Amino acid sequence: ANTLDRYEEYLGAMARNVYTNGLLSGEEIGFFMIDNDWKTYSVNVTRVLNQAKGTYSLFNVLVTSVDKYYTEAEIYSKESEYEPVLKVKLKDTNIECPAVKDATIRAGSYADINYGTDKIMTVAEHGTYMSYDDSTKRAYIAFDISAISSTDTIKSASIELRCRTDAPKGEKELS
């Protein structure tokens, strides 16, 4: 995609409320839509996992919101029956890596509370432009990728997340 296409995708995500972001380095994974019903969504992470393999033992994903419309996305955590999973197709085998760490991260006066045992992670942006308030929530998810070496050929890789939104129109865009 060219820069203009990516910018239009970004603006579309802002209009539809929430997006997810890739590696904690800020590498973008991509956008996908969620709706009001619990469903499993697959996010292609082949490109960023190829960059991380052999260098990092954990593949970190940060799920964030881009808008300030006071709607939330919910994602089942590793504590639930629908834990996030990284599915990797290598040249000769398939690997499933369940989340080894995950939690909702909150801003403001909630910043010191540990939400790591909650069954549902919540994502929402609140506050004014370029600022956050106590209601801002993000989801952090980590997958152990130490079994993938720098020489492995990754044919495809995706993260499966079971999510829903409370957005009035029934859709949120995640990335």
Side-chain angles (χ1 to χ4, degrees), residues 124-135:
E125 283 296 318
H126 298 278
T128 58
Y129 180 71
M130 298 298 287
S131 70
Y132 311 98
D133 68 16
D134 286 357
S135 298

Side-chain angles (χ1 to χ4, degrees), residues 6-26:
R6 292 174 71 81
Y7 183 67
E8 287 175 357
E9 283 181 353
Y10 172 77
L11 291 177
M14 289 181 68
R16 288 185 286 276
N17 300 338
V18 175
Y19 77 100
T20 64
N21 205 7
L23 293 171
L24 289 178
S25 67

